Amino acid sequence: QVQLVESGGGLVQAGGSLRLSCAASGKIFGIKTMGWYRQAPGKQRDLVATITSGGSTNYVDSVKGRFTISRDNAKNTVYLQMNSLKPEDTAVYYCNADFVLLGSDYWGKGTLVTVSS
């Protein structure tokens, strides 16, 4: 059984920064793409950023230039550095991973990010 555990959420003022982490554990044969998604109250879960095992990244337009996704393959961990935070970034942030042989339907429980104006 594999699991993903997020950490690093919290309350921050607009313009501030937070760094999210997500560590994968369990019987892991390898991890392809890892990503961050977010779900604001009353809205659907949306993509924020993804990173492949080779380091190629993809971002939703609204976070480009402010957020940076990175990963440590040796630690099976993905990070999301969030700068210049805005109130509209307020959401529960979820980690997702596409595991070799296991598939991509693996999610963490989420970490809440609240940005006050």
Side-chain angles (χ1 to χ4, degrees):
Q1 189 76 1
V2 298
Q3 63 175 358
L4 298 166
V5 178
E6 303 101 334
S7 61
L11 173 64
V12 64
Q13 289 188 329
S17 298
L18 283 174
R19 188 190 194 211
L20 306 183
S21 299
C22 171
S25 62
K27 193 169 185 179
I28 299 170
F29 301 99
I31 308 176
K32 302 175 191 177
T33 299
M34 301 185 80
W36 288 96
Y37 292 73
R38 65 187 178 186
Q39 186 167 17
K43 297 189 176 182
Q44 66 181 19
R45 189 176 299 184
D46 292 324
L47 170 70
V48 176
T50 61
I51 184 167
T52 68
S53 57
S56 296
T57 59
N58 178 57
Y59 298 91
V60 67
D61 286 346
S62 60
V63 307
K64 285 180 180 178
R66 300 189 298 123
F67 291 10
T68 302
I69 189 170
S70 61
R71 65 190 282 176
D72 185 332
N73 291 330
K75 295 182 178 180
N76 293 325
T77 299
V78 63
Y79 306 95
L80 187 68
Q81 178 66 43
M82 305 185 294
N83 299 328
S84 302
L85 282 160
K86 304 175 181 180
E88 50 264 43
D89 294 318
T90 294
V92 177
Y93 284 70
Y94 296 91
C95 174
N96 173 264
D98 184 3
F99 292 99
V100 174
L101 300 182
L102 300 177
S104 60
D105 194 23
Y106 289 87
W107 297 87
K109 293 184 178 181
T111 185
L112 177 62
V113 171
T114 303
V115 184
S116 62
S117 57

